[in-house]
Amino acid sequence: MARVRYVGPEPVTVPELGDREVQPDEIVTVPDERFEGYVCQTTNWESVEEPGAKAPATKTAAKSAPQKEG
């Protein structure tokens, strides 16, 4: 799934997203095949994550606590 940011000036209802209300500066997930339909509307939407892009991996290694000398 791709992600886009709504850059319009006021909230909008997006029928394709189940009549969801999207707020200005909100990021939403859209189907990959519909990505171009959003980002071609440059006054309303901008790309955040293109179709097929993988989210950056997060590190899960825990830091060890410093050992107390004594």
Side-chain angles (χ1 to χ4, degrees), residues 19-40:
D19 288 329
R20 177 178 169 183
E21 184 175 83
V22 179
Q23 301 295 320
D25 204 39
E26 183 176 353
I27 296 173
V28 295
T29 301
V30 298
D32 287 353
E33 61 274 5
R34 292 293 300 136
F35 175 77
E36 290 297 328
Y38 286 86
V39 296
C40 72

Side-chain angles (χ1 to χ4, degrees), residues 4-67:
V4 294
R5 178 186 326 269
Y6 176 60
V7 295
E10 42 189 74
V12 293
T13 300
V14 182
E16 184 173 72
L17 300 177
D19 288 329
R20 177 178 169 183
E21 184 175 83
V22 179
Q23 301 295 320
D25 204 39
E26 183 176 353
I27 296 173
V28 295
T29 301
V30 298
D32 287 353
E33 61 274 5
R34 292 293 300 136
F35 175 77
E36 290 297 328
Y38 286 86
V39 296
C40 72
Q41 302 173 58
T42 58
T43 59
N44 293 320
W45 302 95
E46 69 180 14
S47 173
V48 172
E49 186 176 309
E50 294 189 10
K54 295 193 179 206
T58 58
K59 293 184 180 182
T60 57
K63 292 183 179 180
S64 59
Q67 296 297 319

